[in-house]
Amino acid sequence: MFGFKKKEVTDTNVMDHVIAKKTSKIKSKLFLVVSSIIGIYLLVCIGIGIYWSREPDLFSVTDNAKQAAASLNIAPENIPVGFTTVETLKRISSTLINKPGGFLTNDMFPPGIWLDNIPSWEIGVLKQTRDMTLSMQRSFSRSQSQSSENTNLSKAFESFSTAPTSWLFPAAEERYAQGIDFLNAYEKQLLNPNNADGKFYARADNLAAWLGLVETQLGSMSQRLAASVGQQNISSMLQDTTDFVTDKDKVTQTPWFQIDNVFYEARGQAWALSLLLRAVEVDFKDVLAKKEAQTSLKQIIRDLEATQQTVWSPVILNGSGFGFLANHSLVMASYISRANAAIIDLRRLLEQG
């Protein structure tokens, strides 16, 4: 009797061992399958992320305007003043939402949510898009300060003013697409000589007003780029215990994890601005010729286009000013500062009688 019970227990243990072994094999295979799926998914996301992170190339604003005019059966010699600027702004904003991956700043899922360089580039492009749309609304489309604003341009600026992080109700890219539609509506007014609302006044004061916005953007950008290595700002602070103002030094430095974001935002601004300036070179050619400012404008464009050179380093380096490693932010700041200084001079030239 005791022997029989011992054999029964032994058989039960063997059966449990077999079941446990089979379960372990199933779990191992399941783990291997899940790990493979996750690994493949991550590899695909990395590949897509690399593809989406490619910045769009510069394009010819004159060729772009001629192609758009041809699609509307307009001869090149009949292209109205302002058409090139509007078409360039449309192409820039369309590229913003239709490039590979679409608009990524408001992405909530991989791989878009993992990317930060190209979303920063988008922010830079968006800032210049907004400033140009605002200038068209306030200046380029109005004969004088008392004139009414163009409704389509007002709605376009409102659409482009949507927060870039908005992903639902409304989605930012949907609002920006509406902005392009309003630019199309304004362009139709511009092409109709009998439409009093569709005008583009290529005057020196209007151009100077837009350059004032550009100057502000580039000045801020150059300061943020230079702050990659830290800089001392002198600010006046009124002391509570005295009746006079004293100076206090404060060191400002961009956090290391934001350095590449600032760099790519500058790249985005320079990309959009260089194209807009080339469009202005076409539509304001008479004003620029009268002020003998063509050379100055070409130099600004050259400096901005130089910022679009290929970045061969896999990361944005942040070496000290004269250190062993390069500092990409300081190189970018050099180009941006030169362009900004030339814009200040150009604006003063345009404001002279």
Side-chain angles (χ1 to χ4, degrees):
M1 181 176 64
F2 289 101
F4 176 76
K5 286 185 178 180
K6 184 176 181 181
K7 181 176 178 55
E8 183 180 9
V9 172
T10 303
D11 291 342
T12 303
N13 291 340
V14 170
M15 184 64 66
D16 290 343
H17 178 71
V18 171
I19 294 174
K21 190 174 182 179
K22 289 184 177 180
T23 303
S24 177
K25 287 182 178 180
I26 293 173
K27 289 182 178 180
S28 299
K29 290 181 179 180
L30 182 61
F31 176 78
L32 183 61
V33 171
V34 173
S35 300
S36 299
I37 293 174
I38 293 176
I40 293 172
Y41 172 75
L42 291 176
L43 287 175
V44 171
C45 285
I46 291 173
I48 293 175
I50 293 174
Y51 175 63
W52 285 1
S53 295
R54 296 176 60 187
E55 300 167 57
D57 295 328
L58 294 168
F59 59 88
S60 171
V61 300
T62 53
D63 290 346
N64 180 65
K66 289 178 181 179
Q67 291 173 5
S71 66
L72 298 172
N73 297 320
I74 300 174
E77 61 272 12
N78 295 328
I79 294 178
V81 174
F83 183 82
T84 302
T85 300
V86 176
E87 276 298 323
T88 302
L89 183 59
K90 285 169 51 182
R91 175 78 175 269
I92 290 172
S93 50
S94 178
T95 301
L96 186 65
I97 61 177
N98 295 322
K99 58 179 173 48
F103 189 72
L104 300 175
T105 303
N106 62 348
D107 271 17
M108 302 298 293
F109 302 99
I113 197 173
W114 296 338
L115 306 178
D116 61 347
N117 291 342
I118 200 68
S120 298
W121 182 91
E122 292 172 346
I123 296 298
V125 173
L126 183 60
K127 286 183 178 181
Q128 291 298 332
T129 300
R130 288 173 175 172
D131 283 353
M132 174 53 82
T133 307
L134 180 62
S135 293
M136 290 174 60
Q137 172 198 348
R138 291 183 176 179
S139 304
F140 295 165
S141 63
R142 303 171 66 186
S143 59
Q144 53 187 356
S145 59
Q146 288 79 18
S147 302
S148 59
E149 295 179 347
N150 183 281
T151 304
N152 287 314
L153 291 177
S154 298
K155 292 180 179 179
F157 177 70
E158 181 181 349
S159 297
F160 288 130
S161 297
T162 302
T165 54
S166 177
W167 67 281
L168 192 64
F169 305 126
E173 53 266 52
E174 293 179 2
R175 292 285 289 160
Y176 301 156
Q178 292 176 3
I180 297 173
D181 292 338
F182 288 123
L183 290 177
N184 279 322
Y186 168 71
E187 186 177 79
K188 290 181 180 179
Q189 294 177 319
L190 186 65
L191 295 173
N192 185 356
N194 299 321
N195 193 323
D197 294 331
K199 300 295 181 182
F200 189 96
Y201 298 95
R203 299 197 312 262
D205 59 328
N206 288 342
L207 181 55
W210 173 61
L211 291 177
L213 297 178
V214 172
E215 176 188 331
T216 301
Q217 289 284 8
L218 293 189
S220 173
M221 200 76 256
S222 62
Q223 288 294 321
R224 292 172 61 196
L225 288 166
S228 63
V229 294
Q231 58 183 353
Q232 283 191 331
N233 293 336
I234 300 179
S235 58
S236 297
M237 299 182 63
L238 185 63
Q239 304 297 317
D240 296 334
T241 57
T242 60
D243 296 329
F244 58 89
V245 176
T246 60
D247 291 331
K248 183 178 181 179
D249 292 345
K250 181 181 179 181
V251 177
T252 302
Q253 186 168 9
T254 304
W256 67 270
F257 55 87
Q258 293 183 9
I259 288 172
D260 58 335
N261 297 344
V262 175
F263 177 85
Y264 279 99
E265 182 182 332
R267 294 259 292 190
Q269 287 207 40
W271 180 84
L273 183 57
S274 64
L275 293 169
L276 292 172
L277 286 172
R278 285 204 175 276
V280 162
E281 186 179 20
V282 174
D283 287 327
F284 288 81
K285 61 180 180 180
D286 293 337
V287 171
L288 295 170
K290 183 179 179 180
K291 296 289 186 177
E292 298 182 353
Q294 303 100 318
T295 303
S296 297
L297 183 59
K298 289 182 183 298
Q299 182 60 51
I300 296 169
I301 295 172
R302 188 182 309 159
D303 285 335
L304 291 173
E305 289 181 346
T307 66
Q308 303 303 301
Q309 299 176 61
T310 302
V311 180
W312 295 106
S313 173
V315 295
I316 301 304
L317 299 177
N318 189 44
S320 59
F322 296 99
F324 181 75
L325 296 177
N327 188 302
H328 293 123
S329 297
L330 292 184
V331 174
M332 179 69 74
S334 175
Y335 286 119
I336 296 292
S337 297
R338 286 176 57 186
N340 191 38
I343 285 175
I344 294 173
D345 292 340
L346 176 58
R347 184 185 176 203
R348 289 174 180 170
L349 180 62
L350 292 169
E351 290 175 342
Q352 294 175 358

